[in-house]
mmCIF file of all heavy atoms in Angstrom:
data_model
loop_
_atom_site.group_PDB
_atom_site.id
_atom_site.type_symbol
_atom_site.label_atom_id
_atom_site.label_comp_id
_atom_site.label_asym_id
_atom_site.label_seq_id
_atom_site.Cartn_x
_atom_site.Cartn_y
_atom_site.Cartn_z
ATOM 1 N N GLY A 74 9.902 -10.304 0.246
ATOM 2 C CA GLY A 74 9.055 -11.036 -0.706
ATOM 3 C C GLY A 74 7.881 -10.236 -1.248
ATOM 4 O O GLY A 74 7.155 -10.704 -2.115
ATOM 5 N N GLY A 75 7.675 -9.033 -0.764
ATOM 6 C CA GLY A 75 6.618 -8.181 -1.300
ATOM 7 C C GLY A 75 5.226 -8.674 -0.921
ATOM 8 O O GLY A 75 5.057 -9.745 -0.339
ATOM 9 N N ALA A 76 4.244 -7.858 -1.276
ATOM 10 C CA ALA A 76 2.853 -8.255 -1.042
ATOM 11 C C ALA A 76 2.558 -9.552 -1.793
ATOM 12 O O ALA A 76 1.767 -10.379 -1.354
ATOM 13 C CB ALA A 76 1.913 -7.144 -1.494
ATOM 14 N N THR A 77 3.230 -9.744 -2.913
ATOM 15 C CA THR A 77 2.976 -10.931 -3.724
ATOM 16 C C THR A 77 3.294 -12.221 -2.959
ATOM 17 O O THR A 77 2.608 -13.225 -3.124
ATOM 18 C CB THR A 77 3.787 -10.849 -5.038
ATOM 19 O OG1 THR A 77 3.476 -9.602 -5.671
ATOM 20 C CG2 THR A 77 3.438 -11.973 -5.982
ATOM 21 N N PHE A 80 0.427 -13.213 -0.873
ATOM 22 C CA PHE A 80 -0.667 -13.896 -1.580
ATOM 23 C C PHE A 80 -0.595 -15.403 -1.316
ATOM 24 O O PHE A 80 -1.606 -16.093 -1.276
ATOM 25 C CB PHE A 80 -0.592 -13.655 -3.099
ATOM 26 C CG PHE A 80 -0.850 -12.237 -3.534
ATOM 27 C CD1 PHE A 80 -0.611 -11.862 -4.854
ATOM 28 C CD2 PHE A 80 -1.336 -11.277 -2.655
ATOM 29 C CE1 PHE A 80 -0.855 -10.556 -5.284
ATOM 30 C CE2 PHE A 80 -1.578 -9.966 -3.069
ATOM 31 C CZ PHE A 80 -1.329 -9.612 -4.388
ATOM 32 N N TRP A 102 -5.130 -6.523 -8.392
ATOM 33 C CA TRP A 102 -4.371 -7.169 -7.327
ATOM 34 C C TRP A 102 -5.196 -8.245 -6.643
ATOM 35 O O TRP A 102 -4.671 -9.306 -6.293
ATOM 36 C CB TRP A 102 -3.823 -6.142 -6.330
ATOM 37 C CG TRP A 102 -2.702 -5.339 -6.942
ATOM 38 C CD1 TRP A 102 -2.708 -4.007 -7.217
ATOM 39 C CD2 TRP A 102 -1.423 -5.836 -7.396
ATOM 40 N NE1 TRP A 102 -1.513 -3.633 -7.811
ATOM 41 C CE2 TRP A 102 -0.713 -4.728 -7.932
ATOM 42 C CE3 TRP A 102 -0.821 -7.094 -7.415
ATOM 43 C CZ2 TRP A 102 0.574 -4.842 -8.466
ATOM 44 C CZ3 TRP A 102 0.467 -7.216 -7.946
ATOM 45 C CH2 TRP A 102 1.141 -6.102 -8.464
ATOM 46 N N THR A 149 -8.915 -6.372 -0.982
ATOM 47 C CA THR A 149 -7.906 -5.359 -1.306
ATOM 48 C C THR A 149 -8.558 -3.987 -1.109
ATOM 49 O O THR A 149 -9.277 -3.520 -1.988
ATOM 50 C CB THR A 149 -7.427 -5.530 -2.763
ATOM 51 O OG1 THR A 149 -7.123 -6.919 -2.980
ATOM 52 C CG2 THR A 149 -6.200 -4.689 -3.051
ATOM 53 N N ASN A 151 -7.562 -1.003 -1.257
ATOM 54 C CA ASN A 151 -7.280 -0.002 -2.296
ATOM 55 C C ASN A 151 -6.647 -0.705 -3.499
ATOM 56 O O ASN A 151 -5.545 -1.248 -3.391
ATOM 57 C CB ASN A 151 -6.332 1.085 -1.784
ATOM 58 C CG ASN A 151 -6.139 2.207 -2.794
ATOM 59 O OD1 ASN A 151 -7.073 2.936 -3.105
ATOM 60 N ND2 ASN A 151 -4.940 2.324 -3.337
ATOM 61 N N THR A 153 -4.698 -0.452 -6.521
ATOM 62 C CA THR A 153 -3.705 0.511 -6.976
ATOM 63 C C THR A 153 -3.811 0.835 -8.466
ATOM 64 O O THR A 153 -3.531 1.956 -8.885
ATOM 65 C CB THR A 153 -2.312 -0.090 -6.686
ATOM 66 O OG1 THR A 153 -2.364 -0.744 -5.420
ATOM 67 C CG2 THR A 153 -1.225 0.960 -6.669
ATOM 68 N N ASP A 173 -4.993 -6.696 1.946
ATOM 69 C CA ASP A 173 -3.781 -6.260 1.233
ATOM 70 C C ASP A 173 -3.827 -4.739 1.182
ATOM 71 O O ASP A 173 -4.499 -4.153 0.336
ATOM 72 C CB ASP A 173 -3.773 -6.859 -0.174
ATOM 73 C CG ASP A 173 -2.629 -6.306 -1.027
ATOM 74 O OD1 ASP A 173 -1.828 -5.485 -0.517
ATOM 75 O OD2 ASP A 173 -2.550 -6.699 -2.208
ATOM 76 N N SER A 175 -1.300 -2.642 0.629
ATOM 77 C CA SER A 175 -0.043 -2.134 0.060
ATOM 78 C C SER A 175 -0.086 -0.656 -0.306
ATOM 79 O O SER A 175 0.865 0.073 -0.073
ATOM 80 C CB SER A 175 0.334 -2.941 -1.175
ATOM 81 O OG SER A 175 0.628 -4.266 -0.809
ATOM 82 N N SER A 176 -1.201 -0.217 -0.899
ATOM 83 C CA SER A 176 -1.218 1.159 -1.411
ATOM 84 C C SER A 176 -2.093 2.102 -0.587
ATOM 85 O O SER A 176 -2.351 3.222 -1.020
ATOM 86 C CB SER A 176 -1.660 1.157 -2.878
ATOM 87 O OG SER A 176 -2.848 0.420 -3.034
ATOM 88 N N GLY A 194 3.364 -4.257 0.970
ATOM 89 C CA GLY A 194 4.722 -4.026 0.474
ATOM 90 C C GLY A 194 5.070 -2.583 0.817
ATOM 91 O O GLY A 194 4.204 -1.714 0.830
ATOM 92 N N GLN A 196 6.958 -0.270 -0.688
ATOM 93 C CA GLN A 196 7.413 0.711 -1.697
ATOM 94 C C GLN A 196 6.376 1.736 -2.141
ATOM 95 O O GLN A 196 6.653 2.545 -3.015
ATOM 96 C CB GLN A 196 7.974 -0.034 -2.916
ATOM 97 C CG GLN A 196 6.967 -0.830 -3.728
ATOM 98 C CD GLN A 196 6.712 -2.240 -3.202
ATOM 99 O OE1 GLN A 196 6.966 -2.535 -2.056
ATOM 100 N NE2 GLN A 196 6.184 -3.102 -4.042
ATOM 101 N N LYS A 197 5.179 1.704 -1.534
ATOM 102 C CA LYS A 197 4.191 2.731 -1.873
ATOM 103 C C LYS A 197 4.083 3.779 -0.760
ATOM 104 O O LYS A 197 4.286 4.951 -1.001
ATOM 105 C CB LYS A 197 2.843 2.094 -2.154
ATOM 106 C CG LYS A 197 2.802 1.474 -3.545
ATOM 107 C CD LYS A 197 2.427 0.050 -3.591
ATOM 108 C CE LYS A 197 2.653 -0.530 -4.980
ATOM 109 N NZ LYS A 197 2.164 -1.889 -5.099
HETATM 110 C C1 PLP B 8 2.012 -3.061 -5.531
HETATM 111 C C2 PLP B 8 0.951 -3.973 -5.007
HETATM 112 C C3 PLP B 8 1.150 -5.357 -4.862
HETATM 113 C C4 PLP B 8 2.430 -6.027 -5.288
HETATM 114 O O1 PLP B 8 3.417 -5.719 -4.396
HETATM 115 P P1 PLP B 8 4.885 -6.370 -4.475
HETATM 116 O O2 PLP B 8 5.507 -5.799 -3.241
HETATM 117 O O3 PLP B 8 5.493 -5.907 -5.751
HETATM 118 O O4 PLP B 8 4.749 -7.836 -4.416
HETATM 119 C C5 PLP B 8 0.129 -6.110 -4.342
HETATM 120 N N1 PLP B 8 -1.031 -5.555 -3.961
HETATM 121 C C6 PLP B 8 -1.259 -4.227 -4.078
HETATM 122 C C7 PLP B 8 -2.575 -3.670 -3.644
HETATM 123 C C8 PLP B 8 -0.281 -3.409 -4.608
HETATM 124 O O5 PLP B 8 -0.506 -2.087 -4.728
#
Side-chain angles (χ1 to χ4, degrees):
T77 306
F80 293 170
W102 289 114
T149 312
N151 186 66
T153 320
D173 173 2
S175 294
S176 51
Q196 67 275 21
K197 282 125 190 186

